[in-house]
Amino acid sequence: MDVANSNWLWISATPVVLMVLLQAGLFLRRAWKNGQEMGLSDDQLRSGLKTGVISAIGPAIAVLAAMLALIATIGGPVAWMRLSVIGSVAFELPAAEIGISQLGYGFGDDGITETAFATSVWTMTLGGIGWLLVVAVGTPHMEKARERIVGGRDTLLPIVTSGAMLGAFAYFVSGEITSGAPETGSAAVGGLVMLALLKLADERDVQWIREWALGSAMAVGLVVGMVVHAAAGGGW
């Protein structure tokens, strides 16, 4: 852990995190400029930005909790860097465990060598390159593929896009709700809270409820999952 939390690792991780922040700033600036070119008013753009910031609170809490778990296993610098770039503890923790196990260790063991730690970090880093390459190579061709799917009928474009998003979310959620009672309870209650808040916002035409709906639903779902886990354990 002295090596895992050394100053050299903090120095090495800092440029990566700064690059992520720079990218976020560039995307925000570009999105604002494109919004103005599309004819959106500054009030609409500010409302969209506010909604995005609020909606990010729930996922940010989950990433923070994951970072605490990762810090205890691989130290602060690498956990900070990896979750700033990828943000998926579902990948990072198993990848780190796979890497360190190749030299016969497990997290929590005494006497873990520097080589075993380095192997764990390389496994996380190289293992995360795959989807980044797919995105980098495939994204420029996605719009053409989407247009071919609808056969030139522009009215189908938003339908296909919405269907793809629903399918992606359903794929991830279905894997979680079958994992055990906490996951099922979290997804079910979170979904019901989301529906209730959106219905309330539509009935009373209150914009701030729509803005807080996703973050609130995720927070409630997380709490319900922890309560169910504490009361009933992780299984069915």
Side-chain angles (χ1 to χ4, degrees):
M1 294 307 293
D2 290 338
V3 174
N5 291 300
S6 65
N7 291 333
W8 285 111
L9 272 180
W10 282 111
I11 294 172
S12 300
T14 298
V16 180
V17 178
L18 291 177
M19 179 61 69
V20 173
L21 294 174
L22 176 62
Q23 286 180 318
L26 291 174
F27 275 118
L28 177 59
R29 180 181 177 185
R30 184 62 180 269
W32 192 278
K33 182 178 179 180
N34 288 350
Q36 291 176 329
E37 293 175 352
M38 293 169 59
L40 297 176
S41 66
D42 287 346
D43 287 339
Q44 288 175 311
L45 291 171
R46 280 192 289 268
S47 177
L49 175 61
K50 181 180 177 182
T51 301
V53 170
I54 294 172
S55 299
I57 294 176
I61 294 174
V63 173
L64 177 61
M67 182 176 289
L68 295 176
L70 208 57
I71 286 174
T73 55
I74 61 171
V78 175
W80 181 50
M81 178 188 69
R82 294 302 306 164
L83 291 179
S84 295
V85 176
I86 303 298
S88 173
V89 72
F91 166 78
E92 301 296 349
L93 276 176
E97 184 70 37
I98 290 172
I100 206 170
S101 66
Q102 301 310 303
L103 295 176
Y105 296 100
F107 284 121
D109 291 348
D110 294 327
I112 295 176
T113 64
E114 296 175 8
T115 302
F117 170 74
T119 303
S120 178
V121 175
W122 275 111
T123 303
M124 288 187 290
T125 303
L126 296 177
I129 289 177
W131 56 63
L132 298 178
L133 290 176
V134 169
V135 170
V137 175
T139 299
H141 306 288
M142 287 295 101
E143 184 62 24
K144 294 180 180 178
R146 193 174 68 144
E147 291 176 354
R148 289 183 179 180
I149 291 174
V150 300
R153 291 173 290 180
D154 293 340
T155 54
L156 289 179
L157 281 175
I159 298 175
V160 171
T161 302
S162 299
M165 291 180 62
L166 289 172
F169 284 124
Y171 172 79
F172 288 114
V173 172
S174 63
E176 292 297 323
I177 61 177
T178 57
S179 299
E183 290 83 356
T184 303
S186 180
V189 174
L192 291 174
V193 170
M194 184 72 177
L195 289 173
L197 290 175
L198 290 179
K199 183 177 180 180
L200 180 63
D202 290 338
E203 290 177 349
R204 302 190 179 184
D205 194 21
V206 181
Q207 179 62 26
W208 69 266
I209 295 180
R210 296 188 185 94
E211 295 171 349
W212 284 92
L214 180 59
S216 300
M218 295 184 69
V220 172
L222 285 170
V223 172
V224 169
M226 291 187 292
V227 170
V228 174
H229 187 275
W236 291 94

